[in-house]
Amino acid sequence: AYGDRIILDNINFDIRKGEIFFIVGGSGCGKSTLLRQLIGLESPTSGNVYIKNTLFSNADSKTKNIILKKIGVLFQSSGLFASMTLEENMRLILDTYTELTEIEKSNLINIKLSSVGLAGYNNFYPNEISGGMKKRAAIARAMVLDPEILFFDEPASGLDPVTSASLDILIKEINKGLGTTIVIVSHDLQSILNIAERVIMLDRSVKGIIAEGTPIELKNRTEQPLVYNFFNRIAN
């Protein structure tokens, strides 16, 4: 809640290790609020968030920092510092959280940039590359500490369909290749149907979850018109 305004009420769910998990729903349903609480930017008004059975939402700073090293975040706007090159953006995290040598940092940065198709772009600034490349660079930065969990906020936002599809492929490759748990907030139906393994759908009328299941299950849920219409792109 923000003051007296309740956004999410009595919401409870689990995310399974190694899955691609989507949080979906219409505008104003609380997706972004939920994401901010999952990554520790906000704390729940009541209730708790646990990561790997460890209390995260109200943990002491030492415990929270240990957990934060295990997660990576891709923000909707990419979140890259415009005044820094791609390498400098990634090096900032390594400088903060590791004691690697400069050579080790450089090698790791090269590996991560290469893994997202940006080998050789170390010295480019964010304004010198395309929107899709910015998303890939932000993924490389989010992966620099080899996180066990990656959180994505509207990864397809602002991308054309072809670039969005290539990003879906990259997300699947990361998930399958590294076993990374991936949590995605999105209303991009094509991405949801392409790569989601399990989905929860939020709705502001109930201030919480109205459906949970695989994309196909929700696409065929005729007994719930709100869910069926969303997954079949039918206007209410």
Side-chain angles (χ1 to χ4, degrees):
Y2 298 116
D4 294 330
R5 187 164 63 98
I6 297 174
I7 308 298
L8 297 167
D9 188 30
N10 194 30
I11 182 169
N12 184 49
F13 62 97
D14 294 316
I15 299 169
R16 301 165 188 162
K17 182 178 180 180
E19 73 176 341
I20 300 178
F21 182 91
F22 270 70
I23 300 168
V24 309
S27 298
C29 68
K31 299 190 301 294
S32 296
T33 296
L34 181 56
L35 177 67
R36 287 195 295 271
Q37 299 192 358
L38 293 179
I39 63 177
L41 289 180
E42 295 180 3
S43 294
T45 307
S46 65
N48 296 298
V49 175
Y50 292 86
I51 295 183
K52 296 187 70 179
N53 295 319
T54 300
L55 179 64
F56 176 58
S57 50
N58 294 298
D60 59 73
S61 58
K62 181 180 179 181
T63 301
K64 185 164 277 192
N65 282 333
I66 291 172
I67 295 174
L68 285 172
K69 291 180 182 180
K70 299 177 181 178
I71 70 175
V73 183
L74 170 66
F75 294 100
Q76 185 173 343
S77 62
S78 81
L80 296 170
F81 291 104
S83 61
M84 295 181 174
T85 65
L86 301 190
E87 176 161 336
E88 287 169 344
N89 266 278
M90 298 171 71
R91 189 176 289 273
L92 181 63
I93 295 176
L94 295 174
D95 289 344
T96 303
Y97 290 105
T98 76
E99 296 180 0
L100 297 174
T101 66
E102 294 306 307
I103 292 177
E104 288 171 333
K105 290 175 187 174
S106 295
N107 289 339
L108 183 56
I109 289 167
N110 289 337
I111 290 169
K112 297 304 181 183
L113 285 174
S114 179
S115 72
V116 298
L118 290 177
Y121 281 84
N122 304 51
N123 296 318
F124 281 68
Y125 288 88
N127 66 352
E128 295 176 328
I129 58 178
S130 69
M133 293 167 77
K134 285 180 189 176
K135 297 278 187 175
R136 289 174 176 267
I139 291 173
R141 185 181 65 174
M143 291 173 55
V144 77
L145 294 177
D146 292 323
E148 298 177 35
I149 310 170
L150 280 173
F151 293 90
F152 293 79
D153 184 13
E154 300 286 2
S157 175
L159 301 181
D160 63 80
V162 173
T163 305
S164 179
S166 70
L167 192 61
D168 285 346
I169 292 171
L170 175 59
I171 290 170
K172 286 195 76 169
E173 288 175 347
I174 293 169
N175 171 254
K176 300 305 178 188
L178 301 175
T180 309
T181 303
I182 296 178
V183 183
I184 302 175
V185 170
S186 180
H187 58 254
D188 186 320
L189 186 57
Q190 198 60 53
S191 290
I192 296 165
L193 296 175
N194 281 345
I195 65 173
E197 295 175 17
R198 204 158 53 91
V199 181
I200 58 170
M201 182 174 176
L202 307 180
D203 187 73
R204 63 182 175 181
S205 66
V206 299
K207 298 179 173 59
I209 299 170
I210 59 168
E212 181 174 347
T214 68
I216 296 301
E217 288 171 349
L218 300 188
K219 187 177 174 65
N220 293 318
R221 192 160 295 181
T222 54
E223 71 275 16
Q224 284 185 281
L226 279 174
V227 178
Y228 183 82
N229 291 348
F230 180 91
F231 280 87
N232 289 278
R233 298 192 68 174
I234 299 172
N236 293 321

